[in-house]
Structures are given as C-alpha cells and as structure tokens.
Amino acid sequence: NAGVTQTPKFQVLKTGQSMTLQCAQDMNHEYMSWYRQDPGMGLRLIHYSVGAGITDQGEVPNGYNVSRSTTEDFPLRLLSAAPSQTSVYFCASSQTGSRNEQFFGPGTRLTVL
Amino acid sequence: AQKVTQAQTEISVVEKEDVTLDCVYETRDTTYYLFWYKQPPSGELVFLIRRNSFDEQNEISGRYSWNFQKSTSSFNFTITASQVVDSAVYFCALSEAGNSGGGADGLTFGKGTHLIIQP
C-alpha cells in the first residue's frame, strides 16, 4: 500500500494563478481531509469529506474548493492564489471520521509570490 | 468551540533527561478523542496515540507515556530517557466525535511544542 500520496511536493505560484493539489489514498478510507500548516499555528482544517460525493467546510475554507468524485481521490483547488495561501498542505484519510487515527500524506509546500 | 493549548513553544533538554509535554484542551462534548502526533525535521506527521474520553487509564509505550486527566482537561506526554531522535515538533489534537455543536468533523490541533534533545 502506498498509503496517502500527495503531488506535487513543492510548488511556486504567482498571485492570481490557479492550481490543484492532488491527494490519493489506497486504503479504501471513507473520510479524507485537507489541513494547512503555518509557522506557529499548528494545523488547521480546510475541507473534509465523509464519502464520495460529500464535502464540507472546515475552519479555514475561503479560497479553496474541493470535490470527491471517487473514494480514492480528494483534490484541493486554489482558484486564484494569494500570498496568504503560502503554507504546507497536508491531506489525511481515515476509516470513518476524525475520531480515528488519521493517515497523513507527506505534504505539499506551496509558495505564492 | 473546541480548543487545544500547548503552552510550551520550545523545550530543550540534554539527552537522557526526562521531559513532559503539556496539553490542555477545551470541549463541550462528553465524547471526544485526543491524539498526539510527532513531526520530525523531515516534515511528515507520525501518529503516536489516540485516547477516547471514557478511558482515563494512563498508557506506556516503551519510553513514551501519556497521562490523561479529565479533571484538569489535560493529556500530557512524557518521554523518559530522551534521545536525539526524539527531537521533533509534537502536536496534541482533539476530535469532538460527538459533534453535538454541529461543528466540522476534523481535528483541532495545538500549536505544537518544538522539542530539542541535545547530545
């Protein structure tokens, strides 16, 4: 099992550009989520999904879109990147919700100039 | 709303010393789950422990031990005989699985404690 994979590992964008961060898991987990990690802030929940076709907002959803067309994939879209979105992004999955151990991907380091 | 406080931003100790990382949480739910994660310098997040609100037994795993006290809303983590490989950022996190407040189903993280073990 590859676990949770994220691509790309690093990305530099200019303000206003759009991009999609990819996340995939091969553990047949129903629950997937996205967090951002900023220095001194811990991790904060952006969006989550409890199953294919179902998504919901977390603590800091503004500027991000998600969709969940399959159980395996949970992409995060930045429609118009801003410098405030410079961060490390982690995708996570678990069997059923945040009450279970979360399996985290290796992270994507995004810089918006 | 739920909250996790890790008041120690950075701790530095000499190898072989014992060290305790503090975690204090706030929640209105009676059913909740607490976690500790380790983030070594390589950046990945490593799961250490999960504890539900109905199980106040302390847990020991090798040099690691956890003290869960509902009376003080604390879930502290102790490393005995620390080693250089323990150097990392440690996060405490909370899940309000009962979700009685209608909030998001996700982890609330503390800001982390950067642990430095000097040889």
Side-chain angles (χ1 to χ4, degrees):
Chain A
N1 282 355
V4 179
T5 58
Q6 291 183 237
T7 56
K9 283 188 167 44
F10 302 95
Q11 183 70 48
V12 179
L13 291 178
K14 294 181 180 178
T15 297
Q17 287 185 316
S18 62
M19 81 158 296
T20 299
L21 307 186
Q22 302 292 344
C23 174
Q25 52 91 11
D26 61 358
M27 297 172 282
N28 202 32
H29 285 168
E30 290 296 322
Y31 177 89
M32 297 185 74
S33 57
W34 278 100
Y35 292 84
R36 60 177 288 173
Q37 181 179 18
D38 302 298
M41 294 292 294
L43 283 80
R44 292 180 292 169
L45 181 67
I46 304 172
H47 284 286
Y48 65 99
S49 169
V50 297
I54 306 169
T55 63
D56 211 337
Q57 296 182 350
E59 179 187 353
V60 288
N62 292 343
Y64 307 96
N65 278 354
V66 292
S67 61
R68 185 94 180 270
S69 56
T70 67
T71 299
E72 294 77 21
D73 300 296
F74 191 43
L76 178 72
R77 296 184 185 85
L78 285 70
L79 300 178
S80 179
S84 61
Q85 293 178 304
T86 293
S87 189
V88 180
Y89 292 84
F90 287 97
C91 178
S93 74
S94 72
Q95 197 61 45
T96 51
S98 64
R99 72 193 69 179
N100 300 121
E101 173 190 352
Q102 302 299 303
F103 293 80
F104 283 89
T108 293
R109 184 174 293 274
L110 175 68
T111 301
V112 182
L113 303 175
Chain B
Q2 66 270 33
K3 184 179 179 181
V4 175
T5 301
Q6 294 181 256
Q8 303 149 312
T9 305
E10 184 174 287
I11 300 174
S12 181
V13 300
V14 177
E15 198 171 22
K16 297 183 184 175
E17 287 186 14
D18 299 347
V19 59
T20 295
L21 309 182
D22 297 332
C23 173
V24 174
Y25 61 92
E26 296 176 28
T27 177
R28 288 175 292 186
D29 276 9
T30 55
T31 303
Y32 53 90
Y33 296 82
L34 295 163
F35 302 81
W36 278 93
Y37 282 87
K38 174 182 179 180
Q39 187 175 44
S42 51
E44 73 272 23
L45 287 154
V46 179
F47 168 81
L48 295 178
I49 190 171
R50 168 184 180 267
R51 179 51 53 93
N52 74 56
S53 53
F54 298 108
D55 182 3
E56 284 195 74
Q57 271 196 324
N58 291 333
E59 181 152 343
I60 299 174
S61 176
R63 297 182 296 105
Y64 295 173
S65 62
W66 291 269
N67 184 335
F68 176 29
Q69 292 197 333
K70 288 177 75 170
S71 60
T72 55
S73 297
S74 65
F75 187 43
N76 296 339
F77 172 33
T78 297
I79 301 174
T80 302
S82 60
Q83 300 176 2
V84 172
V85 293
D86 296 325
S87 296
V89 179
Y90 290 87
F91 291 101
C92 180
L94 166 71
S95 168
E96 288 184 331
N99 210 20
S100 59
D105 182 3
L107 292 177
T108 297
F109 282 84
K111 294 184 179 181
T113 297
H114 184 199
L115 178 63
I116 301 167
I117 311 296
Q118 299 179 8

Coordinates of all heavy atoms in Angstrom, one line a residue, chain A residues 5-45:
Chain A
T5 N -0.9 9.6 -0.8 CA 0.1 10.3 -1.6 C -0.4 11.7 -2.0 O -1.6 11.9 -2.2 CB 0.4 9.5 -2.9 OG1 -0.9 9.3 -3.6 CG2 0.9 8.1 -2.6
Q6 N 0.6 12.6 -2.1 CA 0.3 14.0 -2.5 C 1.2 14.4 -3.6 O 2.4 14.1 -3.5 CB 0.4 14.9 -1.3 CG -0.6 14.8 -0.2 CD -0.4 15.8 0.9 OE1 -0.2 15.5 2.1 NE2 -0.5 17.1 0.5
T7 N 0.7 15.1 -4.5 CA 1.5 15.8 -5.6 C 1.0 17.2 -5.8 O -0.2 17.4 -5.8 CB 1.5 15.0 -6.9 OG1 0.1 14.8 -7.3 CG2 2.1 13.6 -6.7
P8 N 1.9 18.1 -6.2 CA 3.4 18.0 -6.1 C 3.9 18.1 -4.7 O 3.2 18.3 -3.8 CB 3.8 19.1 -7.0 CG 2.8 20.2 -6.7 CD 1.5 19.5 -6.5
K9 N 5.2 17.9 -4.5 CA 5.8 18.1 -3.2 C 6.1 19.6 -3.0 O 6.0 20.0 -1.9 CB 7.1 17.3 -3.2 CG 7.0 15.8 -3.0 CD 8.3 15.2 -2.7 CE 8.2 13.7 -2.2 NZ 7.3 12.9 -2.8
F10 N 6.5 20.3 -4.0 CA 6.7 21.7 -4.0 C 6.1 22.4 -5.1 O 5.9 21.8 -6.2 CB 8.2 22.0 -4.0 CG 9.0 21.3 -3.0 CD1 9.7 20.1 -3.2 CD2 9.2 21.9 -1.7 CE1 10.4 19.5 -2.2 CE2 9.9 21.3 -0.7 CZ 10.5 20.1 -1.0
Q11 N 5.6 23.6 -4.9 CA 5.0 24.4 -6.0 C 5.2 25.9 -5.7 O 5.0 26.3 -4.5 CB 3.5 24.1 -6.1 CG 2.8 24.8 -7.2 CD 3.3 24.3 -8.6 OE1 3.3 23.1 -8.8 NE2 3.6 25.2 -9.5
V12 N 5.6 26.6 -6.7 CA 5.6 28.1 -6.6 C 4.6 28.7 -7.6 O 4.6 28.3 -8.8 CB 7.0 28.6 -6.9 CG1 7.0 30.2 -6.8 CG2 8.0 28.1 -6.0
L13 N 3.8 29.5 -7.1 CA 2.7 30.2 -7.9 C 2.9 31.7 -7.9 O 3.4 32.2 -6.9 CB 1.3 29.8 -7.4 CG 0.8 28.4 -7.6 CD1 -0.6 28.3 -7.0 CD2 0.8 28.0 -9.0
K14 N 2.4 32.3 -8.9 CA 2.2 33.8 -8.8 C 0.8 34.1 -8.4 O -0.1 33.4 -8.6 CB 2.5 34.4 -10.2 CG 3.9 34.2 -10.6 CD 4.2 34.9 -12.0 CE 5.6 34.7 -12.4 NZ 5.9 35.2 -13.8
T15 N 0.7 35.3 -7.7 CA -0.6 35.7 -7.3 C -1.6 35.7 -8.4 O -1.3 36.2 -9.5 CB -0.5 37.1 -6.7 OG1 0.3 37.1 -5.5 CG2 -1.9 37.7 -6.3
G16 N -2.8 35.1 -8.2 CA -3.8 35.1 -9.2 C -3.9 33.8 -10.0 O -4.9 33.5 -10.6
Q17 N -2.8 33.0 -9.9 CA -2.8 31.7 -10.7 C -3.7 30.7 -9.9 O -3.9 30.8 -8.7 CB -1.4 31.2 -10.8 CG -0.5 31.9 -11.8 CD 0.9 31.3 -12.0 OE1 1.5 30.9 -11.0 NE2 1.3 31.2 -13.2
S18 N -4.1 29.7 -10.7 CA -4.9 28.6 -10.1 C -4.1 27.3 -10.2 O -3.2 27.2 -11.0 CB -6.2 28.5 -10.8 OG -6.0 28.1 -12.2
M19 N -4.4 26.4 -9.3 CA -3.8 25.1 -9.3 C -4.5 24.1 -8.5 O -5.4 24.5 -7.7 CB -2.3 25.2 -8.9 CG -2.1 25.1 -7.4 SD -0.4 24.5 -7.0 CE -0.5 22.9 -7.6
T20 N -4.2 22.9 -8.7 CA -4.9 21.8 -7.9 C -3.8 21.0 -7.3 O -2.9 20.5 -7.9 CB -5.7 20.9 -8.9 OG1 -6.7 21.7 -9.5 CG2 -6.4 19.8 -8.1
L21 N -4.0 20.8 -6.0 CA -3.1 19.9 -5.2 C -3.8 18.5 -5.2 O -5.0 18.4 -4.8 CB -3.0 20.4 -3.7 CG -2.5 21.8 -3.5 CD1 -2.2 22.1 -2.1 CD2 -1.2 22.1 -4.4
Q22 N -3.1 17.5 -5.6 CA -3.7 16.2 -5.7 C -3.4 15.4 -4.4 O -2.4 15.5 -3.7 CB -3.1 15.4 -6.8 CG -3.2 16.1 -8.2 CD -4.7 16.1 -8.6 OE1 -5.6 15.4 -8.1 NE2 -5.0 17.0 -9.6
C23 N -4.4 14.6 -4.0 CA -4.3 13.7 -2.9 C -5.1 12.4 -3.2 O -6.2 12.4 -3.7 CB -5.0 14.3 -1.6 SG -5.0 13.2 -0.2
A24 N -4.4 11.3 -3.0 CA -5.0 10.0 -3.2 C -4.6 9.0 -2.1 O -3.6 9.1 -1.5 CB -4.5 9.4 -4.6
Q25 N -5.6 8.1 -1.8 CA -5.3 7.1 -0.8 C -5.8 5.7 -1.4 O -6.8 5.7 -2.1 CB -5.9 7.4 0.5 CG -7.4 7.8 0.5 CD -8.3 6.6 0.7 OE1 -7.9 5.5 1.1 NE2 -9.6 6.8 0.5
D26 N -5.1 4.7 -1.0 CA -5.4 3.3 -1.5 C -5.8 2.4 -0.3 O -5.6 1.2 -0.4 CB -4.2 2.8 -2.2 CG -3.0 2.6 -1.4 OD1 -3.0 3.0 -0.2 OD2 -1.9 2.1 -1.9
M27 N -6.3 3.0 0.7 CA -6.7 2.2 1.9 C -8.3 2.1 2.0 O -8.8 1.6 3.0 CB -6.2 2.9 3.2 CG -4.7 2.9 3.2 SD -4.0 3.9 4.6 CE -4.2 5.5 3.9
N28 N -9.0 2.5 1.0 CA -10.4 2.4 0.9 C -11.1 3.2 2.1 O -12.1 2.8 2.7 CB -10.9 1.0 0.9 CG -12.3 0.9 0.4 OD1 -12.7 1.6 -0.5 ND2 -13.1 -0.1 0.9
H29 N -10.4 4.3 2.5 CA -11.0 5.1 3.6 C -12.1 6.0 3.1 O -12.0 6.6 2.0 CB -9.8 6.0 4.2 CG -8.9 5.2 5.0 ND1 -7.7 5.8 5.4 CD2 -9.0 4.0 5.6 CE1 -7.1 4.9 6.2 NE2 -7.8 3.8 6.3
E30 N -13.2 6.1 3.9 CA -14.3 6.9 3.6 C -14.0 8.4 3.8 O -14.5 9.3 3.1 CB -15.5 6.5 4.4 CG -16.1 5.2 4.0 CD -16.6 5.2 2.6 OE1 -17.2 6.2 2.1 OE2 -16.4 4.1 1.9
Y31 N -13.2 8.7 4.9 CA -13.0 10.1 5.3 C -11.7 10.6 4.8 O -10.6 9.9 4.9 CB -13.0 10.1 6.8 CG -12.8 11.5 7.4 CD1 -13.8 12.4 7.7 CD2 -11.5 11.8 7.8 CE1 -13.5 13.6 8.3 CE2 -11.2 13.0 8.4 CZ -12.3 13.9 8.6 OH -12.0 15.2 9.2
M32 N -11.7 11.8 4.2 CA -10.5 12.5 3.8 C -10.6 13.9 4.1 O -11.7 14.5 4.3 CB -10.3 12.3 2.3 CG -10.1 10.8 1.9 SD -9.7 10.7 0.1 CE -8.0 11.2 0.1
S33 N -9.4 14.6 4.3 CA -9.4 15.9 4.8 C -8.2 16.6 4.3 O -7.2 16.0 3.9 CB -9.5 16.0 6.3 OG -8.5 15.3 6.9
W34 N -8.3 18.0 4.3 CA -7.1 18.8 4.0 C -6.9 19.8 5.2 O -7.8 20.4 5.7 CB -7.4 19.7 2.7 CG -7.2 18.9 1.5 CD1 -8.1 18.4 0.6 CD2 -5.9 18.7 0.8 NE1 -7.5 17.8 -0.5 CE2 -6.2 18.0 -0.4 CE3 -4.6 19.1 1.1 CZ2 -5.2 17.7 -1.3 CZ3 -3.6 18.7 0.2 CH2 -3.9 18.0 -1.0
Y35 N -5.6 19.9 5.5 CA -5.1 20.8 6.5 C -4.0 21.7 5.9 O -3.3 21.3 5.0 CB -4.5 20.1 7.7 CG -5.5 19.3 8.5 CD1 -5.9 18.0 8.2 CD2 -6.1 19.9 9.7 CE1 -6.8 17.3 8.9 CE2 -7.0 19.1 10.4 CZ -7.3 17.9 10.0 OH -8.3 17.2 10.8
R36 N -3.9 22.9 6.5 CA -2.8 23.7 6.2 C -2.0 24.0 7.5 O -2.5 24.1 8.6 CB -3.2 25.1 5.5 CG -4.0 26.0 6.3 CD -4.3 27.3 5.6 NE -3.1 28.1 5.6 CZ -3.0 29.3 4.9 NH1 -4.0 29.7 4.2 NH2 -1.9 30.0 5.0
Q37 N -0.6 24.0 7.3 CA 0.2 24.2 8.5 C 1.0 25.5 8.2 O 1.8 25.6 7.3 CB 1.2 23.1 8.7 CG 2.1 23.2 9.9 CD 3.0 22.1 10.1 OE1 3.2 21.2 9.2 NE2 3.5 22.0 11.3
D38 N 0.9 26.4 9.1 CA 1.6 27.7 9.1 C 2.5 27.8 10.3 O 2.1 27.3 11.4 CB 0.7 28.9 9.0 CG -0.3 28.8 7.8 OD1 0.3 28.8 6.7 OD2 -1.5 28.6 8.0
P39 N 3.6 28.5 10.2 CA 4.6 28.5 11.3 C 3.9 29.0 12.6 O 3.2 30.1 12.6 CB 5.6 29.5 10.8 CG 5.6 29.4 9.4 CD 4.2 29.1 9.0
G40 N 4.0 28.3 13.7 CA 3.5 28.7 15.0 C 2.0 28.6 15.1 O 1.4 29.0 16.1
M41 N 1.3 27.9 14.1 CA -0.1 27.9 14.1 C -0.7 26.5 14.2 O -1.9 26.3 14.3 CB -0.7 28.5 12.8 CG -0.4 30.0 12.7 SD -1.4 30.9 13.9 CE -3.0 30.6 13.3
G42 N 0.1 25.5 14.2 CA -0.4 24.1 14.2 C -1.0 23.8 12.8 O -0.7 24.5 11.8
L43 N -1.9 22.8 12.8 CA -2.6 22.5 11.5 C -4.0 23.0 11.7 O -4.6 22.8 12.7 CB -2.5 21.0 11.3 CG -1.2 20.5 10.7 CD1 -0.2 20.3 11.8 CD2 -1.5 19.1 10.0
R44 N -4.6 23.5 10.6 CA -6.0 23.9 10.6 C -6.7 23.3 9.4 O -6.2 23.2 8.3 CB -6.0 25.5 10.4 CG -5.5 26.2 11.7 CD -5.6 27.7 11.5 NE -4.6 28.2 10.5 CZ -4.7 29.4 10.0 NH1 -5.6 30.3 10.4 NH2 -3.8 29.7 9.0
L45 N -7.9 22.9 9.7 CA -8.8 22.1 8.8 C -9.3 23.0 7.7 O -10.0 24.1 8.0 CB -9.9 21.4 9.5 CG -10.9 20.6 8.7 CD1 -10.2 19.3 8.2 CD2 -12.1 20.2 9.6

